[in-house]
Amino acid sequence: MSIARVEARVQPARSGDPKRVGPYRVIGRLGSGGMGTVHAGLDPAGLRVAVKVIHPAYAADPEFRARFRREVQLSARVQGPCLIPLLAADPDAENPWLATAYAPGPTLDQHVAAHGALTGGTLYAFATGTAQALAAIHAAGVVHRDVKPQNVILTPAGPRVLDFGIAHATDGTSVTRTGVMTGTPGWISPEHYRTGTAGPEGDMFAWGTLVAYAATGRLPFGTGAPDVVAYRVMSGEPELDGLPDELREPLTKALAKSPAERISADAAAAECARILAGQATQVLGADAGPEPGGVSDRLTAEWSLPGVADPVWHLPASAFRKRALVTAVTTAVVAAAVTAGFVTFHNSGDRGDANLTSEGAAPSASPTGQPAPLTTSATTGSGKTAETTAPGADPRTIRIPTDPLAGVPDPAYTRAGEETQPHPDEWRSSTTADSPEERGAAKTIHDRMLAMLVTKDMDFMQPAISFNRRAQTVLVTGGPVAQLPEDHQDVFRRAGEMAACSTLAHRLANDPATWPYGRFSVHWKTSDGDLDAAALGFGEATDGCVAETAGQWHGDEFGMATAEIPSSDKAEIRVADAAVKAIVATWNANTAETNEDALTVDDGISLGFDPVESAAYVWTDDPNSRFASRASQSNFKGAVEKAVCRKLTDEFNSNKSWNYTRWAVAVNDAYTGTRQFVGSGICTP
């Protein structure tokens, strides 16, 4: 049972049903399903909500609670057109619950069964609205994974997409992974059938199927046994007879077998909005009044469906007096807040439970119905914050505002600890630096990257820095560069990760209450200006930006690969030449005086620099197996540490732009082609 996929008529409450859930007074039932019961509720102001209370069997499972909390946190970020907003949730209640705004109307499958397929402007508005909803879901880093007619309500104001994540808490698929089959037969993408992969591209395949069904009343790959439908999806062509010509191109792209060839949600929304605008112009004609300005206006203007029975929800008679009192008190508090500045009801739990704030949110009650303290923060004219306590809120309740950052001039970073990977829509919806703080961060990242890239003659790869405020992510983009070697692209990735991570970590440390960006990702563009693939790299600044443990730094293959790229920096070339000579001299002074053990500068010892982690790497191909034994490797490591640290420290003390303080040494086996790191560390200038 979907949280909002319910009939308009309220069913009587049953024995054992709660009288209150959080801040909402329960007045009846809207439906029940395998995951929970959906109650009809009213908030203190009388607004209708649908409140889903999880069945006790699931509530008793700690693993389910963790998944449920994760899904709530993800869904809280999803804000956009044609979606039903999540209002509040309490994953830690005795029986976890969540609440959404109530939306009357039939689901798409109910409407098609009763009235047939959608046509004309209503169909184009449906295609536009559902694509916009998926674009918003994807931009927030969420994958729907269950796009189908039962998850779209046709409200009087337009289509509304449901269940973007919440329903999946029951099957343990909150994080997409291969090898797991979820979804409904007929609405599953080819790659999901083959590998279990579920991403934004899979949502778009289902969107193409959804719009085709809305337009024709038929599934484009037919019906029947699940394995038969799966075969058609993976091998057959969709049946699109009866589809309007205008929609054929975007739907054909959406239904492509290869995920890489599918249209994105943003592009589909833009294309369908263009079709919708053309339909509006055609219907209105030259003599009509002015056309609605925005896409939302055009969508509403073209949306035409049979009326929906939507009776008023009433509280029991005995509750009216209490409701009037609550309304009067709420009005007085809000009036006082307007005078003082603003009021924010907030979650006092830890930040890991989605510490989101909502301006003017309604007070809540504990799961047992008993009042709990509510902290009200009012900004006074002096700029100070005064805190008072009021009854009626459960501090565990996760409150979701219309926009997660709405009403907060300087929002703190709230996504710490998330593992969600970035995706193309986050990049496409990012913008250039807007505020002075963003411009400062962008310049720092850009300059730090160039300082790294210029030493390898890679300053032609000018990075572009952009910001996605909703995703709280800074994006670093390079390219396009024709025939770029793979190791060069890897250096760009590592430079972008290090520069972004260190810059954001500094900002978070200095401005934890006002800096919203803590995630970063690095991307590469193709010649047509789009992304080459998924992000080259990504991470979170709170994870730390250097592989140091208890003061120890460790070299790795990535750093070695960068060091092997010849340097163009004169100081690096000079220090490398002097350091190799010092290594040879130190080795020869500390080993037995035999010709077999002695080294020369021509014995294949090399030194290169990794500007990303400010490290010098030393390696030798050891053609005479001089360093095959552990004892000889230890001696070689000692010679490198002594000689290289002396040269790095001397340069550090005399050259203000010198950043290299780390070293690593490796021995390459010329016969087997293997490499062994025998030591690394940090020099003390």
Side-chain angles (χ1 to χ4, degrees):
M1 170 63 65
S2 165
I3 181 65
R5 189 193 311 135
V6 292
E7 300 294 339
R9 188 177 303 278
V10 177
Q11 305 166 16
R14 300 181 185 179
S15 176
D17 282 358
K19 297 187 180 301
R20 178 182 292 275
V21 177
Y24 309 110
R25 182 178 292 278
V26 174
I27 64 169
R29 281 193 173 203
L30 292 170
S32 183
M35 182 179 173
T37 300
V38 183
H39 300 281
L42 294 173
D43 76 357
L47 297 178
R48 294 184 296 178
V49 296
V51 186
K52 187 168 194 172
V53 179
I54 304 305
H55 288 321
Y58 288 118
D61 181 1
E63 186 176 341
F64 167 81
R65 283 183 179 269
R67 291 197 301 268
F68 183 79
R69 182 182 298 106
R70 170 68 171 165
E71 299 293 358
V72 167
Q73 291 171 348
L74 288 175
S75 298
R77 298 206 312 264
V78 179
Q79 307 291 334
C82 296
L83 292 168
I84 296 179
L86 183 63
L87 301 177
D90 187 354
D92 297 314
E94 181 179 355
N95 291 319
W97 60 268
L98 59 89
T100 73
Y102 172 75
T107 57
L108 175 62
D109 59 320
Q110 291 171 339
H111 175 88
V112 169
H115 304 284
L118 305 182
T119 59
T122 299
L123 173 61
Y124 302 137
F126 176 87
T128 303
T130 50
Q132 286 180 325
L134 288 176
I137 291 170
H138 295 167
V142 179
V143 179
H144 191 295
R145 291 171 296 171
D146 201 15
V147 177
K148 58 186 179 183
Q150 295 89 333
N151 278 337
V152 183
I153 286 184
L154 307 186
T155 77
R160 296 294 184 268
V161 175
L162 312 173
D163 280 355
F164 41 87
I166 294 300
H168 303 292
T170 58
D171 60 20
T173 58
S174 58
V175 178
T176 299
R177 59 182 185 264
T178 59
V180 177
M181 181 59 64
T182 62
T184 303
W187 306 93
I188 298 176
S189 66
E191 66 273 15
H192 196 176
Y193 275 122
R194 292 190 178 97
T195 66
T197 301
E201 298 83 2
D203 282 352
M204 293 313 297
F205 185 90
W207 174 82
T209 305
L210 180 79
V211 177
Y213 172 81
T216 65
R218 305 185 313 271
L219 293 177
F221 295 98
T223 59
D227 56 339
V228 174
V229 175
Y231 178 81
R232 295 184 194 134
V233 168
M234 291 186 287
S235 306
E237 293 300 319
E239 175 56 62
L240 299 178
D241 288 350
L243 186 73
D245 291 340
E246 295 89 344
L247 289 175
R248 189 170 293 272
E249 182 175 352
L251 262 62
T252 299
K253 292 179 181 177
L255 295 172
K257 302 299 183 189
S258 170
E261 296 176 1
R262 285 186 207 134
I263 192 170
S264 70
D266 276 330
E271 178 65 14
C272 291
R274 183 190 63 77
I275 297 171
L276 179 64
Q279 171 74 13
T281 302
Q282 179 181 355
V283 172
L284 289 172
D287 298 331
E291 179 184 344
V295 175
S296 296
D297 293 333
R298 287 196 295 269
L299 192 154
T300 303
E302 291 298 312
W303 187 253
S304 177
L305 285 176
V308 177
D310 188 20
V312 176
W313 296 3
H314 292 295
L315 281 169
S318 61
F320 276 115
R321 184 171 297 177
K322 292 182 180 179
R323 175 182 169 187
L325 177 60
V326 170
T327 302
V329 172
T330 303
T331 302
V333 172
V334 172
V338 170
T339 303
F342 64 87
V343 174
T344 301
F345 299 110
H346 65 90
N347 170 10
S348 61
D350 65 31
R351 214 167 117 181
D353 285 343
N355 186 15
L356 303 175
T357 61
S358 175
E359 200 168 0
S364 65
S366 70
T368 62
Q370 298 301 317
L374 171 66
T375 302
T376 305
S377 301
T379 301
T380 65
S382 63
K384 297 181 179 180
T385 299
E387 293 200 334
T388 59
T389 300
D394 181 351
R396 299 173 305 182
T397 298
I398 299 175
R399 297 211 160 275
I400 292 86
T402 302
D403 184 320
L405 304 178
V408 187
D410 298 304
Y413 177 57
T414 61
R415 295 184 62 178
E418 292 191 11
E419 299 178 357
T420 306
Q421 298 186 20
H423 53 81
D425 283 338
E426 281 190 12
W427 175 79
R428 295 186 184 101
S429 58
S430 65
T431 59
T432 56
D434 181 45
S435 67
E437 293 78 14
E438 289 178 358
R439 288 192 289 272
K443 184 178 187 305
T444 300
I445 295 171
H446 179 274
D447 292 350
R448 286 181 177 177
M449 286 191 67
L450 279 189
M452 300 175 197
L453 296 173
V454 70
T455 67
K456 302 295 184 182
D457 258 347
M458 296 182 188
D459 50 327
F460 61 89
M461 294 193 293
Q462 288 283 335
I465 316 300
S466 58
F467 297 79
N468 187 319
R469 192 166 183 264
R470 173 169 288 171
Q472 298 185 320
T473 303
V474 173
L475 303 102
V476 179
T477 307
V481 177
Q483 298 180 337
L484 182 71
E486 185 175 344
D487 57 354
H488 282 46
Q489 193 174 106
D490 188 62
V491 173
F492 182 88
R493 173 190 63 79
R494 296 180 65 243
E497 288 178 336
M498 181 61 70
C501 187
S502 58
T503 301
L504 297 185
H506 177 77
R507 292 278 183 170
L508 288 171
N510 289 333
D511 305 302
T514 60
W515 180 251
Y517 301 103
R519 301 168 74 237
F520 57 87
S521 58
V522 184
H523 303 263
W524 194 259
K525 289 192 298 185
T526 59
S527 57
D528 62 2
D530 204 351
L531 292 190
D532 186 23
L536 295 175
F538 64 94
E540 187 177 10
T542 56
D543 293 336
C545 305
V546 179
E548 292 186 23
T549 304
Q552 296 298 313
W553 173 83
H554 305 282
D556 56 32
E557 291 291 347
F558 293 112
M560 176 66 79
T562 303
E564 288 175 332
I565 300 174
S567 174
S568 61
D569 184 84
K570 293 181 179 179
E572 290 182 10
I573 295 172
R574 172 172 48 79
V575 172
D577 181 66
V580 169
K581 293 177 180 177
I583 291 169
V584 170
T586 302
W587 169 269
N588 289 338
N590 294 331
T591 56
E593 297 181 0
T594 64
N595 291 333
E596 294 180 358
D597 291 333
L599 288 176
T600 70
V601 293
D602 297 323
D603 277 340
I605 298 175
S606 303
L607 189 149
F609 293 93
D610 173 22
V612 177
E613 294 203 31
S614 302
Y617 279 79
V618 177
W619 66 94
T620 175
D621 291 333
D622 194 19
N624 298 319
S625 299
R626 181 182 286 109
F627 307 114
S629 69
R630 289 188 178 181
S632 61
Q633 289 176 0
S634 178
N635 291 338
F636 185 55
K637 168 199 164 187
V640 169
E641 180 176 11
K642 182 176 181 180
V644 171
C645 271
R646 183 170 67 248
K647 294 301 179 182
L648 295 183
T649 300
D650 289 346
E651 189 69 21
F652 185 90
N653 292 331
S654 62
N655 183 351
K656 293 183 179 180
S657 63
W658 189 258
N659 296 318
Y660 295 100
T661 58
R662 301 183 180 92
W663 61 273
V665 58
V667 174
N668 300 335
D669 190 316
Y671 298 102
T672 64
T674 59
R675 185 190 341 258
Q676 181 179 2
F677 284 94
V678 298
S680 57
I682 305 174
C683 304
T684 303

